[in-house]
Every structure is written in C-alpha cells, then in structure tokens.
Amino acid sequence: MARTKQFEVENVLDAAVGLFWKKGYHATSANDLVAHLGVSRSSLYDTFGDKRNLYLQALHQYRKRIIGRHLYLIETATDLKETLEAIFTLIIEQDIDDFHPRGCMLVNAATEMAAVDEDVAAIVRGNQWDLQKACEMAIKKAQYQNELRTDIDPKSTAAAIYNAIIGMRVALKTEQEQATLDGIILQTLRLLD
Amino acid sequence: MARTKQFEVENVLDAAVGLFWKKGYHATSANDLVAHLGVSRSSLYDTFGDKRNLYLQALHQYRKRIIGRHLYLIETATDLKETLEAIFTLIIEQDIDDFHPRGCMLVNAATEMAAVDEDVAAIVRGNQWDLQKACEMAIKKAQYQNELRTDIDPKSTAAAIYNAIIGMRVALKTEQEQATLDGIILQTLRLLD
DNA sequence: GGGGTTATGGAACGTTTGTTCCGTAATTAA
DNA sequence: TTAATTACGGAACAAACGTTCCATAACCCC
C-alpha cells in the first residue's frame, strides 16, 4: 500500500535516548536529532510527533532498557546486599572516568522537567514506584528466608536505599573520589545489617 | 564622575537566583531575565557580562544565602541528629505542596550543567565539600563529647548523609507522600545510632 | 502496471535566542 | 558650567530555534 520506513523505530529511539540522556531536553536541538539519528526532519516529525513527544518516548525507552536491568537484578537477587552493591558498582562504572558523565536520564529529567511537565513527572514517579517496590519485596523475601533481620522495616528501608541511589547518580555528575563513593555504599548498605 | 546604578547588584542577583533556580539555565531566556529583574538589557550585560556569567554569579549567591544557612545549623548544632532532622524538614517544607517544586539550585545545576561546564562543576564540588566536611566535623565533635558511638566512621557517614539529602532534593521534584519522606529520614538518621 | 498511500529530503516558515549598538540621561571632579 | 565617564532604554542584529510544507520516491494491492 505505501512506502516502507528506512529505519527501525527502536534503533532511532535508542539514539534519541543517547542524545537526550547526555544533553538533556532543552540543550538538545532539532538539528542535533536530525544529525545524529540518521532520519530526516520530516520523517522524525511524522513518526514521533514533536520534540517533546520524542523526548517522552525516549524516556520510556531508557526506562525499559537501562532501569529494566536493575529491576531484574533486584527481583532475581539471591543475596540482596551483594546485589545492591553490584548495582551501585554498575552505576559508578558507567560514569567514572567519563569526561562528560551522563548520570541517570530519569534523574536528569526529574530535575530539568518534572516540575513543569506532568507527563515527565509521571514517568519518573512510575520508575520510583517500580524500584522501591522491587526493593521492598526483596527485603521481605530475604526476611522470610531468615537472611535478614525481621526488625528492619521493608518499606522505609527500600525508600532510603532508592534515595541513596538517586543521590549517587547526582554525585557522579561531578567526578568523585572512589573512597567517598565506597563510603556511601558501605554506610547505605549498613541499613540492612 | 559617572552616573550611578539604579539598582542594587545584590537584589538583582537574588532575583536571578529566583529565575534560574525555578527554570534552570537553558529554559531561562534573556527576555525572562530582563522582564523579571527590573534591569534593562544593556545594564544587565554591562554589569554581569553574558547569561552564563550571570548564572555562575547566581549560583554563588544561592550557595551563600541558602546553603549557608544549613552550614550554620550544622556547625552550631548541639544535638546533631535533631539538627539534621530539622534540615530535612526545612528542605521538605520548601517544596511540599508547591505546584512547581524548585528543589535545590545546586542539584539542578549539577544534573543540567556540571558535565559540560567545569565552572559549574567546581561550584557544586565546593558546596559538597563544605557540607560534607561540616557534617564530618559535627560527628567528630559529638563523638568527642560522648554523644555518639565512636565506632561510627565520621567521613563515610557524613558522605552518606549528604548523599541522602541530595537524593531527597531530587525526590521532591515529583511530589511525594509524607510517609515515604519520613521513612527516608528515619532510616538515614539510623546511621547515627 | 497503474493508483492509492506513506516516507523522504530539503527548502522554507515565523519565532525566539543571546548579544550588541547607539543616542540620551545622569553623575561628579575640575 | 563644562568635561569626562558611566548607566540606561530600546531598537537592531545575526544565528538558531522548533516546526511545516511540498515535490518526489518507494511501496503494495488490485
């Protein structure tokens, strides 16, 4: 019936994630997108709507691809403390020694956009809920299996751990000493002792 | 010798803080600044240089005015845990029930600008150093006065507490349940038990 | 192999961007 | 009062912004 697209939507979304993640919403121009996504202006607008819409879809893509991995690790954890330490390490390795650390796209979105864009806020909140709930469930499971003290409150502890992860995401935006980062991990995971 | 300025530099800087704090660097336009600072375009550029320069000066102003208060509270604390709880409460009260929560201007600056602007990064790092050091010293002082267990490591604990404050600053960008926030505070301050 | 439909590339749109320029106003030392 | 200097308001600037439009190209069903 009609001409077929010369690109994969998923691939282009991944590329859009790459741009918006690194530079944020306002600092990424339409020209940037056209130049780096390998898709012409008209096809971009035809497929994704306007810039804001593309940004929202990129946020969903980021959440699915990047955060999905962390969720999976937590949900399948056998040793929770070890798993959380591994996640901290993953996060650190992503940004350390990077001249332009990207941090977390959802944290960047929260600070740049969430206050003035309810759709962005909803995505950020959804992500928070997922991670906090997964962490809470993992704590409960560990308690049920007698691997964790039962006087630890699952909900507030999960919230505090999630909160610490967010904090580290910001900290990594300005390069940090490894010793400081290790200290934060050590103390945060002490919540599970 | 020459005409006198019709405005106080400090007042204008405070107003600039208000704008950049709420909207960030890129989303605040030169027109926004002219419209809200009560200073003509030419006087703005004459006094503060370009937009980026004004932003950097606004960051310093924010640090002096807002964070200076927290520093003072920590440095003069008699009951550290109580003081930290008070600071958490101050932070929460600023943003809760606000339709457009501003969060912390330095956190916003870190995520939006620090990766690509070394001067912004330096200001953020300076602020981190101040707060972390103040917290570390307060812990040591409390330990010396036998108000705190001596097996608590001052440096890493201070880093973790600072980290939790940053995390909460981001969390408040999307409105939160008070119970969740209280849980984070409770668990974070457990580091001092 | 048309005919209907969508995709594409590129030019073009009107706004908004950050910044500069200039004529005039205000200030004070001489 | 004059001369020298700086501040001010507003027009003006080129560049970049996000978006739209259109002629052409590619595709599939009939």
Side-chain angles (χ1 to χ4, degrees), chain B residues 119-140:
Chain B
D119 290 331
V120 172
I123 296 173
V124 172
R125 258 185 252 117
N127 187 66
Q128 174 188 350
W129 200 89
D130 283 353
L131 276 171
Q132 240 165 248
K133 211 69 190 173
C135 201
E136 180 184 341
M137 290 305 171
I139 291 175
K140 282 182 177 164

Side-chain angles (χ1 to χ4, degrees), chain A residues 51 102 117 154:
Chain A
K51 180 186 167 188
R102 293 167 294 172
D117 191 320

Side-chain angles (χ1 to χ4, degrees), chain B residues 1-4 29-30 41 45 50-51:
Chain B
M1 281 294 258
R3 188 172 170 180
T4 53
S29 69
R41 215 169 297 269
Y45 277 85
D50 57 13
K51 181 186 167 188

Side-chain angles (χ1 to χ4, degrees), chain B residues 106-179:
Chain B
L106 284 157
V107 170
N108 301 349
T111 55
E112 186 188 2
M113 301 290 287
V116 291
D117 191 319
E118 181 50 38
D119 290 331
V120 172
I123 296 173
V124 172
R125 258 185 252 117
N127 187 66
Q128 174 188 350
W129 200 89
D130 283 353
L131 276 171
Q132 240 165 248
K133 211 69 190 173
C135 201
E136 180 184 341
M137 290 305 171
I139 291 175
K140 282 182 177 164
K141 181 177 152 209
Q143 286 176 327
Y144 182 74
Q145 296 173 340
N146 278 323
E147 295 159 359
L148 208 60
R149 284 168 46 181
T150 52
D151 60 346
I152 289 174
D153 178 54
K155 192 161 185 176
S156 62
T157 304
I161 290 172
Y162 172 78
N163 194 61
I165 291 177
I166 302 305
M168 180 154 296
R169 240 73 217 246
V170 175
L172 286 165
K173 278 279 182 168
T174 57
E175 104 278 72
Q176 301 294 320
E177 289 185 21
Q178 185 70 48

Side-chain angles (χ1 to χ4, degrees), chain B residues 40-59:
Chain B
S40 78
R41 215 169 297 269
S42 51
S43 297
L44 258 191
Y45 277 85
D46 202 42
T47 308
F48 300 102
D50 57 13
K51 181 186 167 188
R52 175 172 170 277
N53 219 288
L54 175 56
Y55 180 70
L56 292 176
Q57 292 182 57
L59 270 182

Side-chain angles (χ1 to χ4, degrees), chain B residues 61-76:
Chain B
Q61 184 82 347
Y62 174 85
R63 201 177 152 193
K64 188 169 72 178
R65 287 227 194 283
I66 313 290
I67 305 298
R69 228 176 298 158
H70 296 173
L71 265 182
Y72 175 80
L73 286 177
I74 294 174
E75 281 162 359
T76 61

